[in-house]
């Protein structure tokens, strides 16, 4: 890993937000899923997106690495920039964007291949590791950073689908960080896991914050409170309120936020 | 403005990857286009070979219809008119047209200009209009298949005489006839009203179409009730046990048994064991029914499965018996799906050839079958028979018969699609 | 004609039964003190079923077996009177009797013996027909009266009718089984007879196939040899060529249609592929024989190659075209069942579409695709018309696709179409080939269905 690279990134991050969303509207066919979202996401922080289901938080997350491109009926308007560059710029290759903005999904989705091949998939695609030794080193360091190395180092050749749910999710995180992205998007990464596995992942997220900018969608307010520095509350496709996590949960400004965090709806 | 790639990404590699992406997409497009192109080629080749069969060449001859030769007694009754020898009259007319043909060989090729059944054209013209008797009338008679092929441009003039079906002398005669406007083309109605014949200009598809209809009627009468009852039983009533598992696996496997094996079954069981008549639509229909049965069962089961359980629960809750629930509610709701599957099965049966060859439906049959026990052939087998015939005239007949068969299939599939669209229900 | 009259008489009795049964129930329901168990139509149905079902079953059975019995009677009479006839001659003679009786063409002159035999045959058939009619009608009437008598307010007519219907349904569902049993038995029976004449090892391993047996002993037609290896080789060659065409084109078009094509393109191309699937095989055969094969021969001439006009290449290519839609729809199904989450994972790593397809979707869908290819292969092996029309007749042991080869199905057709000699090794060989074809395609299907099912379960 190129430590120099991380340093420069960190410096840049201090100056301005990593990701800036301005007037983002998303439509699925006729219906509007997101209405005029304005959000800044700071570097090397964990930003949590919360809200009742169907509020558009996952849709917004998928806008950040253009995963919505895959859905035919989906249309995105507005501007999202990554370090000042419009990611919906027509000349931009979504492949490159996704190499810089990784993603972890709700259900662990390892490829039906060996653990090793799962991790090596990204580096091989992008030609990041030259040579077998370097690739092995990348795999090892990714697994270490995902806290999975000790558990799987003896069975790198066994299929990734044979791991437990929590291990699979950490494998997916390791797979995401193997291409050394700047941002990691997490879409309810713990919703399919038991409490112990969840705790491990939350711990991991906190560690990863040092090197990555993390955006996490969660339906659990406790989780948001535990892992995030900033929290954004979505409701019915609108961004209702965003702020420091502590502040948002103790003294929300908006009625709706108040209602949601006190459990009146959601 | 382009996004800077992460430092680690190899730019040359990226270029290669994008090229690979484009290439892959092009392969896919090429594959689809290949399939579409081949379809176009197939249809074009058939239409271009076959459209001429819908026209038939006729030769206009001045025929002297003497009272003395046709109706010496002067009764004017249809039977007497029909009994006359028109062949001689026709030959006289030809001789009069071309008196230069003197030797036997020359005369034979002269008479060969008109089709072997041309005398019947003449007879029909007289029967239709008995007033012609005693006059010299200009009557259109069918040209022979070689002349027909030549007029349609399938026999080139510039090959040496020995390799040509139409010899130089005949060409000369035809040129004269054409110059006199005595060669005309008419819509070939006989193609749709005649059964098979050894003479291409006389051959038609009606016999095969009727044979196909009889055969399909038997198939439908057998496999619709049996298929639907089987599907209802398996889907709604059968207990889940080893026996029904065997039936299910068995049906799936039967669906993939080569059709010719069903023909062997028909030959061994229906013909040799039960002694049913060979070549008959009855046996053909039974064989095709066994072959189509799995298709109908599978489609019907899918249609029944698509009816939501809530409907059954509602009816049972009202105190209906299981049988009443199924026949009053579930079956009517599944009917469009079942019918669609049945039509598609029938279309498959209509196009099937191989098993029918095994049970002798491949015989040459010049009559239009009158019942399900008569020897008959079906459209696809007729196509196969004609495709095998050496005469040039049968090539266009084959293609034309294919066009008719495809037209039937298109209609059946269109009905199936309409049914599906019209009654499609989303639960 | 007479059969039709009997049939209509029975229909009349059935309708009468319905009306009478219902009427009787109506009469009973007049006594209000004792309500009927079922609704009125069920009593009508109950009577109608008892009136019609037994006699219809009897008629079906009678008509199925009677011709064979009549034939057996004629031939037993014949062999009793003429001990010096061989069984083949008897069969031929009996055939003539039957043909003469039905006004068909026969192979010998009509003499007194033949006429007498025919007369007795016709007499037997008439007697048998009248016997059947009498028995059927009396069964029908008996059913009618006894069921009418049993109608009472306590008769659980609905339950009885439903019971009968469910028995009928069960009977229908066994027809599929009976078909399989019929196939297996008819094939095995004739095949065993074939192996009485020709050793199994010669059939399976012999390299020479020329089934023309001499009709008379003094003929020079040879004794016929039944080494089927050239047929297997020919079948495999043509199947291989068809797979070479169909698998890449079918698979790639499935990929393009499901992953790349826009809505409009799909709406245009999908029905066209379906048309390709709906074209009868005889049409493909014609196309192969009259368009593709001459094209290959002419282009071969142009390049100085000697291409047979019945080349395996032409038949195989056209067979491949026929199978394209089969492969593409099956593999489309299979690839669609690869979960979206795997695609998402790959895209989120920055993979391009083609990388996702070739490195994630295809490997994940591989078992299913293998199953689809197996199914397609079994279809190609069993396909008949294309090869009958476009492949050769002569058994030719070669791997050269430009030469003519013959296949198992072609041989079955040539052996059984046209003049048949009864019980000769030649006709029986067709059944042996059929059995082999059945076993091979069945095995491939079972394996393919198992593979596909296992694969499906993995992602359900």
């Amino acid at each position: 890993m190129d430590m120099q690279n991380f340093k420069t990134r960190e410096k840049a991050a201090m100056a301005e937000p990593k990701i800036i969303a301005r007037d983002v509207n998303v439509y699925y066919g006729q219906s509007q899923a997101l209405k005029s979202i304005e959000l800044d996401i700071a570097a090397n922080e964990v930003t949590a997106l919360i809200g009742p289901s169907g509020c558009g938080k996952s849709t917004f997350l998928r806008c950040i690495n253009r995963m919505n491109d895959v859905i035919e009926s989906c249309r995105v308007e507005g501007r999202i920039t990554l370090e000042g560059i419009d990611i919906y710029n027509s000349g931009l290759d979504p492949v490159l964007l996704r190499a810089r903005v990784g993603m972890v999904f709700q259900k662990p989705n390892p490829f039906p291949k060996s653990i090793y091949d799962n991790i090596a998939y990204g580096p091989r695609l992008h030609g990041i590791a030259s040579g077998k030794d370097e690739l092995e080193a990348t795999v090892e360091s990714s697994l270490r950073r995902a806290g999975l190395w000790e558990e799987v180092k003896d069975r790198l050749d066994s299929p990734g689908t044979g791991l437990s749910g929590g291990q699979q999710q950490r494998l997916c995180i390791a797979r995401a960080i193997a291409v050394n992205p700047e941002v990691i998007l997490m879409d309810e990464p713990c919703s399919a896991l038991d409490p112990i596995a969840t705790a491990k992942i939350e711990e991991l997220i906190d560690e990863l914050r040092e090197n990555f900018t993390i955006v996490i969608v969660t339906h659990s307010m406790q989780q948001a409170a535990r892992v995030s520095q900033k929290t954004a509350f979505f409701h019915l496709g609108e961004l209702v309120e965003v702020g420091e996590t502590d502040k948002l949960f103790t003294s929300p400004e908006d009625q709706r936020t108040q209602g949601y965090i006190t459990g009146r709806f959601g | 403005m382009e996004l800077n790639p992460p430092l680690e990404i190899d730019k040359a590699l990226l270029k290669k990857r994008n090229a690979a992406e484009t290439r892959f997409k092009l392969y896919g497009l090429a594959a689809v286009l290949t399939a579409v192109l081949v379809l176009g080629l197939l249809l074009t080749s058939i239409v271009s070979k076959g459209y001429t069969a819908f026209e038939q060449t006729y030769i206009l001859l001045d025929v002297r219809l003497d009272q003395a030769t046709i109706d010496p007694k002067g009764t004017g009754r249809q039977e007497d008119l029909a009994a006359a020898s028109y062949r001689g009259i026709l030959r006289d007319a030809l001789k009069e047209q071309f008196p230069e043909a003197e030797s036997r060989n020359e005369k034979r090729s002269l008479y060969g200009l008109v089709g072997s059944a041309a005398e019947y054209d003449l007879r029909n013209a007289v029967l239709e209009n008995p007033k012609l008797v005693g006059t010299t009338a200009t009557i259109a008679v069918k040209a022979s298949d070689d002349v027909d092929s030549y007029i349609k441009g399938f026999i080139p003039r510039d090959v040496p005489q020995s390799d040509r079906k139409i010899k130089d002398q005949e060409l000369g005669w035809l040129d004269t006839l054409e110059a006199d406007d005595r060669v005309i083309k008419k819509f070939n109605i006989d193609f749709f009203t005649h059964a098979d014949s050894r003479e291409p200009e006389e051959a038609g598809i009606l016999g095969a179409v009727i044979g196909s209809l009889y055969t399909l009627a038997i198939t439908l009468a057998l496999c619709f009730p049996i298929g639907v009852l089987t599907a209802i039983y398996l889907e709604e009533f059968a207990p889940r046990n080893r026996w029904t598992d065997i039936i299910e696996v068995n049906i799936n496997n039967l669906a993939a048994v080569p059709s010719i094996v069903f023909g062997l079954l028909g030959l061994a069981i229906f013909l040799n064991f039960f002694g049913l008549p060979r070549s008959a639509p009855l046996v053909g229909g039974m064989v095709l029914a066994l072959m189509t049965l799995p298709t109908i069962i599978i489609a019907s089961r899918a249609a029944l499965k698509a009816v939501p359980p809530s409907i059954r629960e509602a009816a049972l809750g009202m105190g209906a018996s299981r049988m009443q629930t199924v026949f009053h509610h579930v079956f009517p709701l599944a009917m469009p799906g079942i019918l669609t599957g049945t039509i598609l099965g029938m279309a498959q049966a209509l196009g099937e050839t191989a098993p029918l060859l095994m049970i002798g439906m491949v015989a040459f049959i010049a009559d239009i079958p009158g019942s399900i026990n008569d020897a008959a052939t079906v459209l696809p087998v007729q196509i196969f028979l004609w495709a095998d015939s050496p005469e040039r005239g049968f090539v266009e007949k084959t293609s034309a018969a294919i066009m008719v068969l495809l037209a039937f299939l298109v209609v059946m599939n269109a009905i199936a699609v309409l049914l599906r669209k019209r009654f499609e229900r989303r639960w | 004609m007479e059969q039709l009259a009997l049939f209509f008489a029975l229909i009349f009795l059935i309708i009468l039964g319905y009306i009478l049964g219902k009427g009787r129930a109506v009469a009973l329901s007049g006594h209000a003190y004792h309500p009927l168990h079922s609704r009125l139509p069920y009593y009508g149905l109950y009577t109608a079923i008892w009136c019609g079902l037994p006699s219809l079953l009897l008629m079906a059975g009678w008509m199925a077996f009677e011709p064979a019995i009549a034939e057996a009677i004629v031939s037993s009479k014949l062999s009793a009177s003429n001990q010096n006839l061989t069984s083949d001659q008897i069969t031929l003679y009996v055939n003539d009797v039957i043909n003469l009786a039905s006004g068909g063409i026969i192979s010998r002159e009509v003499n007194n013996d033949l006429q007498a035999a025919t007369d007795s045959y016709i007499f037997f058939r008439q007697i048998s027909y009248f016997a059947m009619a009498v028995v059927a009608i009396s069964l029908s009437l008996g059913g009618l009266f006894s069921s009418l008598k049993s109608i009472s307010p306590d008769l659980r007519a609905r339950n009885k009718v439903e019971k009968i219907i469910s028995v009928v349904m069960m009977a229908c569902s066994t027809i599929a089984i009976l078909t399989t049993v019929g196939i297996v038995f008819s094939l095995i029976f004739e095949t065993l007879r074939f192996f009485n004449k020709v050793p199994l090892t010669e059939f399976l391993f012999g390299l020479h196939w020329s089934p023309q047996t001499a009709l008379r002993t003094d003929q020079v037609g040879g004794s016929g040899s039944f080494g089927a290896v050239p047929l297997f080789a020919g079948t495999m060659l043509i199947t291989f060529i068809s797979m070479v065409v169909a698998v890449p084109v079918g698979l790639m078009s499935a990929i393009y249609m499901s992953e790349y094509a826009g809505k409009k393109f799909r709406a245009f191309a999908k029905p066209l592929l379906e048309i390709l699937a709906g074209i009868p095989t005889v049409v493909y055969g014609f196309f192969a024989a009259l368009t593709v094969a001459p094209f290959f021969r002419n282009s071969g001439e142009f390049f100085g190659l000697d291409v047979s006009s019945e080349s395996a290449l032409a038949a195989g290519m056209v067979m491949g075209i026929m199978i394209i839609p089969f492969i593409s729809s099956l593999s489309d199904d299979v690839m669609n069942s690869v979960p979206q989450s795997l695609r998402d994972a790959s895209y989120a790593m920055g993979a391009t579409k083609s990388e996702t397809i070739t490195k994630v979707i295809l490997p994940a869908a591989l078992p299913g695709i293998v199953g689809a290819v197996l199914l397609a292969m079994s279809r190609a092996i069993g396909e008949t018309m294309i090869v009958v029309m476009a492949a050769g007749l002569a058994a030719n042991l070669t791997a050269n696709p430009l030469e003519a080869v013959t296949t198992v199905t072609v041989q079955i057709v040539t052996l059984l179409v046209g003049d048949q000699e009864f019980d000769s090794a030649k006709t029986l060989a067709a059944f042996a080939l059929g059995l082999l074809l059945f076993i091979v395609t069945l095995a491939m299907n079972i394996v393919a269905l198992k593979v596909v099912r296992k694969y499906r379960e993995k992602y359900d």
Side-chain angles (χ1 to χ4, degrees):
Chain A
M1 283 302 140
D2 184 352
M3 285 316 287
Q4 195 62 36
N5 188 22
F6 285 120
K7 292 263 166 60
T8 49
R9 270 190 206 174
E10 230 163 291
K11 258 182 220 158
M14 292 302 170
E16 56 173 311
K18 186 84 176 172
I19 297 164
I20 303 171
R22 289 290 174 267
D23 193 23
V24 175
N25 289 289
V26 178
Y27 304 86
Y28 288 114
Q30 294 295 320
S31 66
Q32 188 166 10
L34 285 180
K35 294 170 191 157
S36 187
I37 304 298
E38 312 252 335
L39 182 63
D40 291 357
I41 291 165
N44 296 78
E45 273 189 351
V46 177
T47 306
L49 310 181
I50 60 167
S53 51
C55 67
K57 52 191 194 296
S58 287
T59 303
F60 180 71
L61 191 77
R62 292 170 69 96
C63 286
I64 301 175
N65 70 345
R66 291 184 56 174
M67 280 302 281
N68 284 332
D69 288 16
V70 183
I71 302 163
E72 240 171 75
S73 62
C74 181
R75 204 170 83 246
V76 180
E77 285 172 6
R79 206 176 135 81
I80 299 177
T81 59
L82 174 67
E83 291 187 340
I85 293 155
D86 183 0
I87 63 167
Y88 279 93
N89 159 1
S90 61
L92 183 129
D93 188 349
V95 167
L96 275 184
L97 172 70
R98 291 177 194 145
R100 292 181 60 179
V101 182
M103 190 164 187
V104 176
F105 296 85
Q106 190 167 356
K107 248 179 77 187
N109 53 358
F111 300 127
K113 301 169 185 246
S114 71
I115 294 172
Y116 184 92
D117 285 339
N118 261 286
I119 309 291
Y121 183 71
R124 275 181 184 147
L125 280 182
H126 300 293
I128 289 174
S130 53
K132 209 171 154 239
D133 295 343
E134 208 175 312
L135 189 61
E136 272 172 20
T138 309
V139 170
E140 183 180 337
S141 75
S142 308
L143 282 170
R144 277 189 195 285
R145 287 160 85 185
L148 196 61
W149 175 252
E150 292 303 324
E151 294 162 56
V152 301
K153 65 178 177 197
D154 300 327
R155 45 174 176 148
L156 289 176
D157 287 335
S158 58
T161 42
L163 297 173
S164 74
Q167 287 173 324
Q168 285 192 12
Q169 195 61 302
R170 276 182 285 148
L171 178 68
C172 292
I173 294 174
R175 185 175 66 188
I177 58 185
V179 290
N180 198 16
E182 298 153 43
V183 182
I184 301 177
L185 309 174
M186 297 186 172
D187 189 356
E188 304 196 19
C190 303
S191 66
L193 305 180
D194 60 70
I196 296 169
T198 303
K200 270 198 180 153
I201 302 258
E202 285 178 4
E203 208 175 293
L204 175 62
I205 291 172
D206 205 48
E207 282 166 24
L208 290 174
R209 178 161 67 93
E210 217 175 287
N211 295 324
F212 304 96
T213 305
I214 294 173
V215 186
I216 177 170
V217 164
T218 175
H219 60 268
S220 149
M221 282 172 284
Q222 289 84 346
Q223 186 172 58
R226 283 195 299 267
V227 300
S228 72
Q229 284 74 52
K230 291 233 176 60
T231 298
F233 172 62
F234 282 71
H235 184 232
L236 295 176
E238 284 176 56
L239 175 58
V240 175
E241 189 173 347
V242 59
E244 299 288 328
T245 302
D246 296 345
K247 191 176 157 279
L248 188 119
F249 277 107
T250 48
S251 52
E253 284 167 10
D254 196 284
Q255 249 345 103
R256 288 169 287 177
T257 319
Q258 173 87 33
Y260 182 67
I261 60 179
T262 52
R264 230 169 291 153
F265 68 89
Chain B
M1 217 177 3
E2 177 57 87
L3 192 67
N4 291 325
L7 294 178
E8 298 86 346
I9 286 191
D10 182 347
K11 282 212 175 136
L13 180 69
L14 197 67
K15 225 176 197 175
K16 258 202 210 148
R17 287 172 61 196
N18 282 333
E21 170 74 17
T22 316
R23 220 167 30 228
F24 190 74
K25 191 174 166 179
L26 280 179
Y27 291 152
L29 185 63
V32 179
L33 290 184
T34 307
V36 172
L37 190 82
V38 168
L39 176 66
L41 206 69
L42 185 133
L43 294 181
T44 329
S45 99
I46 282 160
V47 172
S48 69
K49 280 200 180 94
Y51 76 98
T52 48
F54 297 112
E55 276 187 335
Q56 167 69 36
T57 308
Y58 282 79
I59 297 177
L60 293 176
L61 287 177
D62 294 333
V63 188
R64 196 156 23 158
L65 300 160
D66 284 338
Q67 176 99 32
T69 40
I70 294 173
D71 189 13
K73 291 187 208 124
T75 57
R77 288 189 316 184
Q78 294 270 322
E79 305 94 274
D80 293 334
L81 292 180
S85 159
Y86 290 94
R87 177 174 301 195
I89 305 176
L90 192 65
R91 292 190 167 173
D92 289 343
L94 280 165
K95 268 188 279 184
E96 215 156 296
Q97 185 78 33
F98 298 107
E100 67 268 26
E102 280 178 345
S103 76
R104 264 183 84 141
N105 275 341
E106 282 176 332
K107 278 189 188 157
R108 193 183 302 147
S109 43
L110 177 63
Y111 300 153
L113 287 182
V114 298
S116 59
E119 53 189 278
Y120 301 112
D121 294 334
L122 186 57
R123 188 184 67 183
N124 291 343
V126 172
L127 289 180
E128 245 168 62
N129 188 2
K131 288 202 190 97
L132 289 178
V133 178
T135 64
T136 299
T138 308
I139 300 216
V141 296
K142 250 184 224 153
S144 72
D145 64 311
D146 288 335
V147 171
D148 187 52
S149 297
Y150 163 72
I151 297 292
K152 286 170 179 167
F154 297 131
I155 298 181
R157 289 184 83 122
D158 48 4
V159 291
Q161 184 173 214
S162 52
D163 295 348
R164 201 180 334 114
K165 279 269 186 149
I166 301 270
K167 307 296 175 204
D168 288 342
Q169 190 179 29
E170 293 158 285
L171 279 182
W173 292 331
L174 284 173
D175 287 342
T176 319
L177 286 171
E178 278 192 291
D180 285 358
D181 283 333
R182 281 178 181 276
V183 178
I184 56 166
K185 283 193 210 164
K186 285 207 245 178
F187 177 67
N188 188 2
I189 188 93
D190 289 350
F191 182 67
F192 296 99
T193 56
H194 282 191
D196 197 7
S197 163
R198 299 276 185 216
E199 309 296 333
E201 73 272 12
E202 286 298 315
I205 53 164
L206 187 64
V209 170
I210 301 285
S212 273
L213 286 183
Y214 279 134
T215 309
L216 278 198
I218 297 285
T219 307
L220 185 65
L222 287 174
C223 74
F224 183 72
I226 295 177
V228 170
L229 286 177
T230 306
I232 291 178
Y233 177 70
L234 290 179
E235 201 56 40
E236 306 285 337
F237 295 103
R240 294 258 135 238
N241 58 23
R242 185 164 260 245
W243 175 242
T244 46
D245 273 356
I246 291 177
I247 296 182
E248 277 206 58
V249 171
N250 183 51
I251 288 170
N252 284 335
N253 284 328
L254 268 188
V257 168
S259 60
I260 194 169
V261 172
F262 286 97
L264 290 173
L265 167 80
L267 175 60
I269 303 275
F270 296 147
L271 297 191
N272 288 351
F273 186 72
F274 286 125
L276 293 173
R278 260 178 94 79
S279 310
L282 175 68
V283 181
M286 284 161 73
V287 169
L288 291 182
L290 293 183
M291 201 193 77
T292 323
L293 206 52
T295 313
I296 292 185
I297 295 174
I298 292 168
S300 305
R301 290 192 67 180
L304 290 167
K305 213 177 252 164
V307 177
S310 58
I311 303 268
R312 296 178 183 84
E313 283 156 14
L316 289 173
M318 299 286 292
S321 70
R322 288 228 297 169
M323 197 71 75
Q324 287 170 324
T325 306
V326 170
F327 283 99
H328 295 172
H329 300 281
V330 180
F331 179 61
L333 287 172
M335 200 59 183
I338 292 175
L339 283 182
T340 310
T342 307
I343 294 174
L344 294 181
M346 285 297 118
Q348 185 193 339
L350 175 60
E352 194 54 68
T353 320
L356 301 180
L357 302 183
M358 301 288 97
I359 54 159
M361 287 188 91
V362 64
F364 167 77
I365 288 144
D367 296 320
I368 291 165
S371 83
I372 53 170
N373 279 321
D374 288 356
T377 190
V378 294
L379 255 182
V381 177
Q382 185 72 73
I383 291 167
F384 169 67
L385 283 172
W386 283 349
D388 244 14
S389 303
E391 286 91 348
R392 179 64 190 77
F394 275 123
V395 173
E396 57 170 19
K397 300 276 172 194
T398 314
S399 303
I402 288 175
M403 285 155 77
V404 173
L405 176 62
L406 290 182
F408 275 115
L409 291 176
V410 165
V411 170
M412 289 172 86
N413 281 288
I415 292 173
V417 169
L418 280 182
L419 257 177
R420 200 176 335 180
K421 283 236 168 90
R422 174 84 180 71
F423 292 101
E424 195 170 48
R425 215 186 285 251
R426 295 245 172 255
W427 299 98
Chain C
M1 216 54 238
E2 291 158 331
Q3 268 132 340
L4 218 59
L6 181 58
F7 183 72
F8 279 118
L10 276 179
I11 295 281
F12 171 75
L13 278 177
I14 290 169
I15 294 170
L16 187 73
Y18 181 84
I19 294 168
L20 288 179
K22 202 173 156 184
R24 174 123 175 87
V26 170
L28 285 173
S29 70
H31 309 286
Y33 57 87
H34 201 148
L36 291 175
H37 170 270
S38 309
R39 287 178 54 228
L40 291 174
Y42 284 105
Y43 293 94
L45 277 179
Y46 174 72
T47 321
I49 288 175
W50 273 115
C51 179
L53 199 60
S55 50
L56 283 177
L57 283 179
L58 172 96
M59 271 169 68
W62 199 302
M63 287 201 280
F65 288 101
E66 190 244 26
I69 294 171
E71 208 180 304
I73 289 176
V74 175
S75 65
S76 70
K77 266 190 196 162
L78 197 67
S79 48
S81 58
N82 293 303
Q83 264 100 6
N84 53 350
L85 288 177
T86 68
S87 66
D88 283 359
Q89 283 168 316
I90 288 178
T91 325
L92 278 176
Y93 193 86
V94 171
N95 261 4
D96 281 342
V97 168
I98 292 167
N99 281 337
L100 188 64
S102 61
I105 304 155
I106 58 168
S107 64
R108 68 189 76 205
E109 265 179 56
V110 184
N111 57 21
N112 283 342
D113 279 354
L114 183 63
Q115 193 60 52
T118 309
D119 286 344
S120 78
Y121 173 77
I122 293 175
F123 181 68
F124 172 79
R125 302 268 334 227
Q126 272 172 348
I127 290 285
S128 140
Y129 172 74
F130 281 116
M132 177 181 79
V134 168
V135 175
I137 298 274
S138 38
L139 251 182
S140 201
L141 286 172
L144 176 67
F145 286 119
S146 66
S147 57
L148 268 183
K149 240 177 117 180
S150 69
I151 288 182
S152 73
D154 289 330
L155 179 74
R156 298 156 72 88
R158 200 201 71 232
N159 306 40
K160 296 216 161 176
V161 168
E162 290 186 351
K163 182 87 207 152
I164 293 168
I165 294 179
S166 65
V167 169
V168 169
M169 287 201 296
M170 249 185 276
C172 285
S173 70
T174 54
I175 287 193
I177 299 269
L178 286 181
T179 309
T180 310
V181 172
I183 290 175
V184 170
F185 271 86
S186 59
L187 292 180
I188 285 184
F189 185 63
E190 309 281 333
T191 305
L192 286 180
R193 283 169 51 186
F194 173 69
F195 287 131
N196 277 339
K197 301 181 190 226
V198 177
L200 176 66
T201 44
E202 185 198 330
F203 179 69
L204 285 182
F205 305 110
L207 299 181
H208 192 65
W209 178 267
S210 82
Q212 291 308 327
T213 41
L215 276 178
R216 297 188 310 273
T217 39
D218 56 319
Q219 250 178 345
V220 226
S223 58
S225 50
F226 294 92
V229 170
L231 313 190
F232 307 151
T235 307
M236 283 197 278
L237 178 62
I238 288 182
T239 305
F240 175 74
I241 294 170
S242 74
M243 289 297 125
V244 167
V245 173
V247 173
V249 177
L251 197 57
M252 283 311 286
S253 32
I255 288 172
Y256 187 81
M257 301 280 259
S258 63
E259 307 282 336
Y260 286 104
K263 243 188 206 145
K264 268 191 192 152
F265 185 84
R266 217 171 346 195
F268 150 81
K270 207 154 200 174
L272 288 182
L273 279 185
E274 277 166 22
I275 292 179
L276 215 50
I279 291 179
T281 51
V282 69
V283 178
Y284 281 112
F286 181 69
F287 181 62
L290 261 91
T291 308
V292 179
F295 172 75
F296 280 152
R297 200 190 44 217
N298 294 339
S299 16
E301 252 166 42
F302 182 77
F303 293 110
L305 285 171
D306 186 23
V307 182
S308 158
S309 56
E310 293 170 331
S311 64
L313 190 63
M317 291 266 283
V318 174
M319 185 120 74
I321 292 165
M322 185 196 83
I323 289 177
I324 288 173
F326 193 72
I327 297 242
S328 84
S329 79
L330 279 176
S331 42
D332 192 37
D333 272 5
V334 165
M335 287 192 294
N336 275 334
S337 55
V338 173
Q340 182 63 30
S341 68
L342 286 186
R343 286 159 221 252
D344 282 351
S346 175
Y347 290 134
M349 301 293 300
T352 62
K353 247 182 191 177
S354 61
E355 285 160 350
T356 304
I357 293 164
T358 53
K359 299 201 168 115
V360 176
I361 300 179
L362 285 184
L366 194 64
I369 290 174
V370 169
V373 171
L374 271 182
L375 281 178
M377 269 176 76
S378 99
R379 189 167 251 223
I381 291 174
E383 168 48 39
T384 308
M385 289 322 289
I386 295 178
V387 281
V388 165
M389 293 169 85
L393 287 180
N396 192 354
L397 192 55
T398 174
N400 180 356
L402 303 181
E403 283 184 43
V405 294
T406 191
T407 72
V408 172
T409 48
V410 171
Q411 287 307 314
I412 294 177
V413 171
T414 25
L415 292 176
L416 288 182
V417 169
D419 300 327
Q420 283 180 30
E421 314 144 55
F422 289 90
D423 299 338
S424 74
K426 192 181 145 197
T427 35
L428 294 176
F431 286 90
L433 289 175
L435 181 65
L436 201 73
L437 183 69
F438 179 72
I439 291 172
V440 169
T441 52
L442 188 72
M444 290 178 84
N445 283 313
I446 289 175
V447 171
L449 290 178
K450 268 231 167 97
V451 168
V452 171
R453 184 175 301 168
K454 245 202 177 143
Y455 160 78
R456 288 249 158 98
E457 277 164 5
K458 198 164 120 194
Y459 290 119
D460 271 348

